[in-house]
Amino acid sequence: MFKKFAVLFYSIFVLNLVSAQHGEPTAEGVSATTELSEKDKVSKENKEFIDHHLLDAHDFTLMVDKEGHHIGFPLPVIFYDNGIRAFMSNKEGFMHGETTEVDGSYYKLHHEKIYKTDAAGTLAFDKEGHVTSEKVLDLSITKSVLIILLTSIFMLVLFTGMAKSYKKSAVPTGATRFLEPLVIFVRDEIAIPNIGHKYKRFIGYLLTVFFFILFLNVLGLMPFGINVTGNITMTFFLAILTYLITTFSANKDYWKHIFWMPGVPVPMKLIMLPIELLGTITKPFALMIRLFANMTAGHIVVMSLIGLIYVFKNFVAGVAFPFLTLVIYLLEVLVAFLQAYIFTMLSALFIGMAVQEHEHEHHAAH
């Protein structure tokens, strides 16, 4: 549903842009042309703002003033190019796409990627407009990396304190009172039903991934351009963790059902073998795309609604779009919890399929 909303509002922007470019001159002539070009400019600025919000960044911007100055703080830029190069992102001209000299070599930031260039800042492009200049190995502490580190430290402190509190008293106190129901929910409603009596081996991972995604999703609702779970690299590595745990924890029954499915004729076994092998890859792929697409689409919808206020600039837009933004934003709060639950539940389901003992179940049935 979110993806449909995202397509809808991007379509509105495009239609508005087309009408601004191809609209017929009115009786006012010059004033009508000025108005259309202004809408064109606002639509373009809105799209650029949305793209900037969704992308990772080498600095942390808290807000932008009326003059367009970014208010925030710099982050360490670290990359490898015949040795480790490092400097802060507020180095003169770096964040503005200007040429930056480091130890006699020249580099340029283009769409949050660092390229080698010359003193003039020349970049080579192909016919599709993609940069073909050499990229460096970027190891920077970007905005997303910073949030991941801070969230990890926060979780470590929070749950270490929670564990210590239970040594003093079985009655939860402080933040533990709010976290305990969620921990019990993950254990009783996700881990045990999907994994069974072996759940204790995997409950640590399930709790970690649930709260990690939940905290990142909630931070993504803040107006600071934090979009970690909307970064496909992040969701890819979370899905890879589930895949590795599933693969290395799987028992012989799991692999038997993949490579030589029991109770099936030999010709069908040969047909099912590649399908089952492909299924082991499509499962983590579904985890990756589901979380990435839903969180990204949610951000696009909210920001598109806000942007439409500045495009239409009338009373109806000033009332309708803020109301719709509030409704979608509240829905995003629900989605933040829902996506953490779905990712954890599917991870537990895949793990449970890998560790369940089919032979024992058949004997028990007889």
Side-chain angles (χ1 to χ4, degrees):
M1 183 178 70
F2 277 119
K3 287 181 279 188
K4 293 180 180 178
F5 270 119
V7 172
L8 171 63
F9 287 110
Y10 259 128
S11 300
I12 292 175
F13 276 127
V14 172
L15 289 174
N16 182 77
L17 187 60
V18 171
S19 64
Q21 292 175 338
H22 301 286
E24 293 294 333
T26 63
E28 287 78 6
V30 177
S31 61
T33 303
T34 304
E35 180 184 354
L36 291 173
S37 62
E38 181 66 22
K39 283 187 176 181
D40 184 4
K41 180 181 177 182
V42 172
S43 297
K44 184 178 179 181
E45 289 177 350
N46 287 338
K47 185 178 183 305
E48 290 176 351
F49 178 80
I50 293 173
D51 291 339
H52 178 75
H53 178 89
L54 296 176
L55 290 173
D56 199 0
H58 286 78
D59 67 340
F60 201 110
T61 301
L62 298 174
M63 61 180 297
V64 181
D65 60 19
K66 294 181 179 180
E67 287 73 29
H69 298 140
H70 290 232
I71 301 174
F73 53 88
L75 295 172
V77 177
I78 308 169
F79 59 87
Y80 180 85
D81 179 39
N82 296 323
I84 297 294
R85 313 291 174 91
F87 55 88
M88 297 302 291
S89 62
N90 60 351
K91 185 177 177 66
E92 185 177 358
F94 178 76
M95 290 306 301
H96 299 288
E98 299 176 7
T99 306
T100 302
E101 182 182 0
V102 183
D103 298 333
S105 299
Y106 297 93
Y107 305 93
K108 188 174 183 177
L109 184 68
H110 181 76
H111 291 296
E112 298 302 332
K113 293 181 175 60
I114 305 174
Y115 296 92
K116 293 189 68 174
T117 184
D118 52 22
T122 306
L123 292 178
F125 296 86
D126 59 18
K127 294 180 180 180
E128 287 76 28
H130 302 138
V131 180
T132 58
S133 299
E134 182 183 353
K135 280 195 301 185
V136 300
L137 178 60
D138 195 353
L139 305 171
S140 303
I141 306 297
T142 61
K143 179 169 60 177
S144 293
V145 174
L146 176 65
I147 294 301
I148 291 171
L149 292 175
L150 292 178
T151 302
S152 302
I153 294 171
F154 173 72
M155 288 179 59
L156 183 63
V157 173
L158 184 65
F159 290 104
T160 300
M162 184 178 178
K164 290 181 179 179
S165 69
Y166 280 113
K167 293 181 178 180
K168 299 178 181 178
S169 172
V171 179
T173 58
T176 306
R177 290 179 295 179
F178 299 97
L179 294 173
E180 185 182 63
L182 289 174
V183 172
I184 294 175
F185 172 79
V186 173
R187 184 194 67 185
D188 294 348
E189 302 298 329
I190 298 178
I192 295 177
N194 289 291
I195 300 177
H197 64 279
K198 296 182 179 181
Y199 78 93
K200 290 184 180 180
R201 290 174 53 194
F202 310 99
I203 188 65
Y205 170 71
L206 296 177
L207 285 171
T208 301
V209 76
F210 175 81
F211 283 102
F212 185 66
I213 294 174
L214 176 60
F215 290 153
L216 289 178
N217 286 349
V218 172
L219 286 173
L221 299 175
M222 305 298 176
F224 302 132
I226 299 171
N227 186 38
V228 179
T229 48
N231 187 322
I232 198 167
T233 304
M234 186 66 212
T235 60
F236 168 78
F237 279 102
L238 288 174
I240 284 295
L241 284 176
T242 296
Y243 175 76
L244 292 175
I245 291 174
T246 301
T247 301
F248 288 103
S249 300
N251 57 29
K252 62 180 181 180
D253 291 329
Y254 175 78
W255 294 115
K256 183 187 296 184
H257 278 72
I258 290 178
F259 287 102
W260 206 249
M261 189 174 293
V264 177
V266 173
M268 286 301 299
K269 289 181 179 181
L270 298 176
I271 295 174
M272 293 299 296
L273 173 59
I275 297 175
E276 291 293 328
L277 282 175
L278 182 62
T280 63
I281 300 175
T282 56
K283 290 172 185 176
F285 181 79
L287 282 177
M288 174 185 71
I289 295 299
R290 180 185 294 274
L291 179 58
F292 162 74
N294 280 280
M295 299 314 300
T296 300
H299 288 297
I300 291 175
V301 171
V302 171
M303 291 183 291
S304 296
L305 284 170
I306 296 173
L308 287 172
I309 300 172
Y310 298 94
V311 172
F312 293 105
K313 293 183 180 179
N314 55 45
F315 176 77
V316 175
V319 174
F321 290 127
F323 174 75
L324 287 173
T325 301
L326 177 61
V327 172
I328 298 298
Y329 189 83
L330 293 176
L331 189 59
E332 271 288 276
V333 176
L334 174 62
V335 171
F337 286 84
L338 184 62
Q339 289 304 313
Y341 163 74
I342 291 175
F343 192 99
T344 309
M345 188 272 291
L346 289 177
S347 295
L349 178 63
F350 298 154
I351 293 171
M353 293 169 61
V355 301
Q356 64 180 332
E357 298 174 355
H358 301 277
E359 297 293 335
H360 293 177
E361 291 178 0
H362 291 316
H363 288 312
H366 290 294

